[in-house]
């Protein structure tokens, strides 16, 4: 991998990948059931193996930050985490899931390899410290309300707690009440903290705060966001994907249809090669 660190090499150890390729964090938004996880992990891992892209499987065991109280949040924490652990063992993949409070850190760390801090919670010192103290890799999503430069404080909090295994993820900036924009300057700015930087190609296309209580999205722009991120030098990409986003129980409006992932990755590798 280019301009990443040894802990990322360790995280994906056992996978065969090209040293110049970006890494991929991908999977469904939330754990809906074992069959969905198995289908996505099987298909994406096969694609990444062929393309020599290091792969980290993603699914949230619970979605705590929903607009409407009626929105799907999960099937149960331990049940979902157990399914993530099973995917990791079956496909020999590292896994990542969100946590939302300090007590969740130790619980989730028993099942996954990376803990993800949601954008809305990226300033919560207690949460960052709890994640750091598990010894797991910590991926912090940049708040929609923050500049890239301000994310150095999140990195400092985690490192001060004794953990230097940190990623930062760009996921767009609030634009008005119901849209987001991406400032690609944030990629090199956040890389100045000395940690790998990921582009969230799907959440950055959300259209939040809809009057229906269900977040909208603009998935036809995923390819554009991803291409620009690779051109700007992102170390990795985060892409939520589902075999049929129309029936997904969370964030279906901005997920990539699974069939479209392989041709997109092929295009992105050509861009990566061109800029090296």
């Amino acid at each position: 991998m280019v301009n990443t660190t040894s802990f990322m090499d360790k995280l994906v150890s056992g996978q065969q990948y090209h040293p110049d390729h970006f890494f991929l964090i991908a999977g469904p938004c939330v754990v809906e059931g074992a069959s969905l996880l198995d289908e996505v992990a099987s298909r994406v891992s096969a694609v990444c193996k062929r393309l020599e892209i290091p792969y980290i499987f993603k699914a949230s065991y619970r979605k705590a930050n929903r607009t409407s109280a009626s929105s799907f949040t999960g099937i149960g924490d331990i049940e979902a985490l157990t399914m993530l652990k099973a995917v990791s063992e079956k496909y020999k993949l590292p896994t990542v899931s969100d946590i939302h409070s300090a007590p969740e850190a130790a619980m989730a760390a028993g099942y996954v390899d990376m803990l993800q801090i949601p954008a809305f919670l990226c300033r919560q010192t207690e949460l960052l410290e709890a994640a750091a103290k598990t010894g797991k890799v910590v991926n912090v999503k940049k708040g929609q309300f923050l500049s890239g430069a301000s994310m150095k404080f999140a990195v400092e909090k985690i490192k001060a707690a004794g953990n230097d295994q940190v990623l930062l993820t760009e996921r767009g900036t609030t634009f008005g009440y119901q849209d987001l924009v991406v400032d690609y300057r944030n990629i090199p700015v956040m890389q100045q903290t000395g940690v790998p930087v990921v582009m969230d190609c799907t959440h950055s296309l959300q259209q939040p705060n809809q009057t229906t209580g269900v977040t909208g999205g603009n998935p036809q722009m995923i390819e554009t966001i991803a291409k620009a991120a690779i051109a700007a030098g992102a170390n990795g990409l985060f892409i939520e994907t589902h075999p049929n986003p129309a029936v997904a129980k969370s964030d279906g409006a901005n997920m990539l249809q699974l069939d479209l992932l392989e041709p997109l990755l092929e295009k992105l590798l050509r861009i990566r090669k061109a800029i090296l």
Side-chain angles (χ1 to χ4, degrees):
M1 287 173 281
V2 176
N3 298 324
T4 57
T5 51
S6 59
F7 75 82
M8 285 300 296
D9 292 327
K10 182 179 178 181
L11 186 69
V12 297
S13 64
Q15 296 185 39
Q16 293 184 344
Y17 58 86
H18 194 286
D20 289 337
H21 289 178
F22 55 84
F23 59 87
L24 177 68
I25 302 173
C29 177
V30 66
V31 176
E32 300 177 14
S35 60
L36 172 64
L37 298 191
D38 192 76
E39 179 179 0
V40 175
S42 173
R43 292 177 62 182
V44 179
S45 61
V47 169
C48 288
K49 183 177 181 180
R50 183 180 72 79
L51 297 177
E52 298 183 288
I53 295 173
Y55 175 42
I56 301 158
F57 182 83
K58 182 271 166 188
S60 298
Y61 64 86
R62 173 158 46 90
K63 302 299 292 186
N65 52 340
R66 303 292 84 186
T67 300
S68 171
S70 63
S71 294
F72 178 79
T73 58
I75 62 175
D77 292 356
I78 299 303
E79 183 178 359
L81 284 165
T82 300
M83 291 179 183
L84 283 169
K85 184 70 171 178
V87 165
S88 176
E89 292 174 348
K90 180 176 181 179
Y91 294 100
K92 310 301 181 188
L93 296 172
T95 54
V96 58
S97 192
D98 304 278
I99 59 172
H100 314 90
S101 65
E104 289 182 42
M107 175 187 72
Y111 296 87
V112 299
D113 304 285
M114 182 191 297
L115 300 177
Q116 184 164 279
I117 308 300
F120 285 128
L121 301 176
C122 69
R123 296 178 67 202
Q124 300 298 104
T125 301
E126 183 182 51
L127 178 60
L128 293 171
E129 290 176 343
K133 290 174 182 177
T134 66
K136 297 291 184 176
V137 178
V138 182
N139 181 27
V140 187
K141 288 196 170 185
K142 182 186 74 65
Q144 302 92 322
F145 43 85
L146 292 176
S147 68
S150 66
M151 291 302 291
K152 68 179 182 179
F153 299 111
V155 174
E156 289 173 358
K157 289 176 183 179
I158 294 169
K159 289 187 174 182
N163 189 338
D164 62 359
Q165 302 176 107
V166 191
L167 308 175
L168 293 177
T169 293
E170 165 63 37
R171 55 95 71 233
T173 302
T174 300
F175 184 72
Y177 290 113
Q178 295 176 325
D179 208 354
L180 299 167
V181 294
V182 176
D183 181 352
Y184 286 95
R185 295 175 299 179
N186 284 330
I187 292 175
V189 166
M190 290 194 292
Q191 285 172 332
Q192 290 175 12
T193 64
V195 306
V197 173
V198 180
M199 181 72 228
D200 184 337
C201 303
T202 46
H203 287 96
S204 60
L205 291 166
Q206 285 183 330
Q207 295 174 327
N209 305 319
Q210 301 294 314
T211 56
T212 61
V214 178
T215 297
N218 193 13
Q220 61 268 30
M221 298 297 290
I222 291 172
E223 181 172 321
T224 299
I225 293 289
K227 286 177 175 178
I230 293 301
N235 301 103
L237 297 178
F238 178 107
I239 300 175
E240 287 191 338
T241 184
H242 192 285
N244 185 1
V247 302
K249 294 185 177 180
S250 179
D251 283 0
N254 56 267
M255 276 200 279
L256 181 71
Q257 185 173 321
L258 186 55
D259 289 340
L260 301 178
L261 181 62
E262 185 171 9
L264 173 59
L265 293 175
E266 290 173 341
K267 292 178 183 178
L268 297 175
L269 287 178
R270 292 198 292 271
I271 295 173
R272 170 69 95 179
K273 182 178 180 180
I275 65 172
L276 292 179

